[in-house]
Amino acid sequence: MQKREKSFGIQMLSVQPDTKPKGCAGCNRKIKDRYLLKALDKYWHEDCLKCACCDCRLGEVGSTLYTKANLILCRRDYLRLFGVTGNCAACSKLIPAFEMVMRAKDNVYHLDCFACQLCNQRFCVGDKFFLKNNMILCQTDYEEGLMKEGYAPQVR
Ligand SMILES: [Zn+2]
Ligand SMILES: [Zn+2]
Ligand SMILES: [Zn+2]
Ligand SMILES: [Zn+2]
């Protein structure tokens, strides 16, 4: 999951034009500059390859751009707009993409939020946890809850 981050970015290359001037994919005019940018198999003026959101010149920001839904974006805006994993089921705040998360069924949690919601016990990999009414519970609290409801399974 984390490793996928790299493949989202598209490399920009700063190249020197050969004898035949290339058309800019941004403004459709010929590129007569000393350098031009090559990205997405197209050529661009350095001024024309801009983030659709913040208008920053992508060639200055770095060598990677991001695209989604026909938008060309800088990394910051891409992450802001699309780089979200979901809302943490415990604190309901957004979880940025590429952050480590815990998952339980359809829920995602911040690592820090993934704890028993009654006693705050943290879980390690392999620990048993239970999901009840969308609350994470440790085994003790889960069984106690069942007991109170009067249908505790007669195990152990
Ligand atoms: Zn242009
Ligand atoms: Zn931007
Ligand atoms: Zn959280
Ligand atoms: Zn607990």
Side-chain angles (χ1 to χ4, degrees):
M1 179 63 202
Q2 295 163 287
K3 292 271 182 289
R4 281 181 57 201
E5 178 182 358
K6 293 233 162 56
S7 64
F8 284 125
I10 293 163
Q11 286 295 313
M12 277 179 279
L13 294 173
S14 193
V15 293
Q16 268 181 303
D18 41 39
T19 41
K20 216 176 107 212
K22 306 263 192 287
C24 167
C27 66
N28 287 320
R29 284 195 296 252
K30 291 257 187 290
I31 305 172
K32 292 172 187 150
D33 303 357
R34 253 159 63 83
Y35 291 97
L36 53 93
L37 290 170
K38 184 167 189 271
L40 304 163
D41 286 326
K42 290 171 187 152
Y43 296 93
W44 311 75
H45 289 112
E46 286 179 314
D47 282 340
C48 288
L49 197 55
K50 283 192 284 198
C51 169
C53 246
C54 67
D55 253 6
C56 66
R57 287 167 57 171
L58 290 164
E60 283 177 0
V61 179
S63 58
T64 316
L65 61 87
Y66 294 76
T67 62
K68 181 124 177 176
N70 288 325
L71 291 174
I72 293 178
L73 297 167
C74 67
R75 178 186 160 85
R76 206 187 50 198
D77 285 316
Y78 176 81
L79 289 182
R80 191 168 57 77
L81 292 172
F82 303 108
V84 166
T85 305
N87 288 66
C88 170
C91 71
S92 18
K93 288 188 192 126
L94 283 178
I95 303 176
F98 319 127
E99 185 170 314
M100 285 278 290
V101 292
M102 294 296 286
R103 287 172 196 276
K105 292 207 176 135
D106 294 333
N107 296 333
V108 283
Y109 302 87
H110 295 110
L111 274 195
D112 289 344
C113 292
F114 197 75
C116 170
Q117 287 173 338
L118 288 180
C119 71
N120 282 326
Q121 182 202 303
R122 297 291 205 86
F123 300 96
C124 300
V125 180
D127 281 355
K128 256 196 180 167
F129 65 87
F130 297 83
L131 210 56
K132 189 160 184 288
N133 304 329
N134 258 336
M135 286 208 332
I136 315 163
L137 297 175
C138 66
Q139 186 159 12
T140 316
D141 285 320
Y142 178 73
E143 284 173 358
E144 224 163 74
L146 288 184
M147 220 93 85
K148 279 184 201 141
E149 287 168 24
Y151 54 85
Q154 300 302 305
V155 282
R156 46 158 164 167

